[in-house]
Amino acid sequence: MNALLILLLILIVLMLLVAKKDGIRNLLGLGFNFIAIFMLITMMAWGIPLLILLPIFTFIILALSIYMSSDDGDTTNIAFKTSLIVVFVLGIFTIFVQYIGQFQGFSAENADELENLSLAVGLNFSNVAISMMAISMLGAVAEAAMAIVANLFEVIEQDEAMTLNQFQAQRTMITQQILGTAINTLFFGVLGSSVGLVLWFVRLDYSLAQIINSKLLMADVASMLLGMLGILFSIILAGHFVEKKFNLDLTNK
């Protein structure tokens, strides 16, 4: 049996045991997101412009990721609004990063795999690189927004007599906790996926300049930094929206 299939089965079983009905909903969201990404890749191969595809599928993927992970309307609405704003701003920044870095295409390290293949596939690899960086930060943005909003609403529910100053203190503490763990998760994920490439550089005695100019490594680093910025902006913006709602509820009491 394929190792990936075994891991998938373990994931499904554990999600059903831990989350039960919510686990089924999350698995459906994961499946729908897989289909959405597959459709995005297929339509890009058909030559449909990226500026049309990316906003549409970003909206779909974020909606599936957030609304199928919780049934709390206030939490999901704020997280979704936050994620859309952050991804839109960082999407523009991603185009600028790709223009400066030129991460598209293949590198010298891919030579052996591409030796017997044709590169005349009719794709704009710059658009592919932009899509890759944009999609890679969607999960981090949605997760950070959901985490901070859910935690803040939980704090509000536990202390109905909370003042605005107390809420702001709780928001600062929760922000620091979520920010540290989320960024570390993203960093070690990218580091783990790049270990083989780093070993390649070390064993072949790459100079620092060659490493910095490596298209493969720098594309991963750019995606990681964009994800970190997405986490930071999501936590700040989502916290602001929750505080604004909390302040409004205090005024209306």
Side-chain angles (χ1 to χ4, degrees), residues 61-70 75-76 79-80 83 142 146:
I61 292 170
L62 285 176
L64 289 171
S65 299
I66 292 173
Y67 284 103
M68 297 200 72
S69 64
S70 175
T75 300
T76 51
F80 184 62
S83 299
M146 280 293 294

Side-chain angles (χ1 to χ4, degrees), residues 3-237:
L4 291 178
L5 180 58
I6 294 174
L7 290 174
L8 179 60
L9 291 175
I10 293 173
L11 174 65
I12 292 173
V13 171
L14 290 177
M15 287 186 69
L16 293 177
L17 288 175
V18 174
K20 297 181 175 61
K21 292 182 179 179
D22 289 338
I24 297 175
R25 183 177 58 205
N26 290 331
L27 286 171
L28 287 175
L30 184 63
F32 289 144
N33 269 334
F34 177 81
I35 295 172
I37 292 174
F38 180 80
M39 291 176 60
L40 171 62
I41 295 171
T42 302
M43 291 182 181
M44 285 177 60
W46 291 345
I48 299 177
L50 178 69
L51 292 178
I52 296 176
L53 289 177
L54 204 53
I56 295 173
F57 279 93
T58 293
F59 184 90
I60 293 172
I61 292 170
L62 285 176
L64 289 171
S65 299
I66 292 173
Y67 284 103
M68 297 200 72
S69 64
S70 175
D71 54 4
D72 187 332
D74 289 336
T75 300
T76 51
N77 288 338
I78 292 178
F80 184 62
K81 177 171 64 174
T82 300
S83 299
L84 281 181
I85 295 172
V86 171
V87 169
F88 175 76
V89 173
L90 287 182
I92 298 174
F93 189 59
T94 299
I95 297 173
F96 173 75
V97 169
Q98 166 58 21
Y99 177 77
I100 298 297
Q102 294 295 305
F103 300 119
Q104 76 274 10
F106 302 97
S107 64
E109 290 79 19
N110 299 125
D112 291 339
E113 292 84 357
L114 299 173
E115 186 174 354
N116 297 318
L117 300 177
S118 172
L119 299 181
V121 293
L123 285 176
N124 186 331
F125 283 101
S126 180
N127 288 346
V128 173
I130 292 171
S131 301
M132 179 197 71
M133 288 188 284
I135 291 173
S136 65
M137 70 179 175
L138 292 182
V141 169
E143 180 184 358
M146 280 293 294
I148 186 68
V149 174
N151 276 277
L152 289 176
F153 274 125
E154 183 69 22
V155 168
I156 293 171
E157 290 177 3
Q158 290 179 356
D159 187 0
E160 296 181 357
M162 181 182 294
T163 64
L164 182 59
N165 289 336
Q166 291 174 329
F167 174 83
Q168 290 173 339
Q170 289 290 329
R171 174 189 169 188
T172 301
M173 183 184 68
I174 294 172
T175 296
Q176 292 171 347
Q177 294 171 347
I178 294 177
L179 181 62
T181 54
I183 285 182
N184 279 328
T185 300
L186 190 62
F187 172 74
F188 285 112
V190 173
L191 182 63
S193 65
S194 304
V195 167
L197 185 60
V198 172
L199 289 174
W200 174 296
F201 294 157
V202 173
R203 293 297 296 273
L204 296 181
D205 296 324
Y206 273 45
S207 66
L208 180 60
Q210 287 175 307
I211 293 174
I212 292 175
N213 286 282
S214 169
K215 188 178 296 185
L216 287 176
L217 183 60
M218 289 302 106
D220 286 342
V221 171
S223 297
M224 179 187 70
L225 293 177
L226 285 169
M228 289 180 176
L229 286 174
I231 290 170
L232 178 61
F233 292 157
S234 294
I235 290 175
I236 294 173
L237 190 58

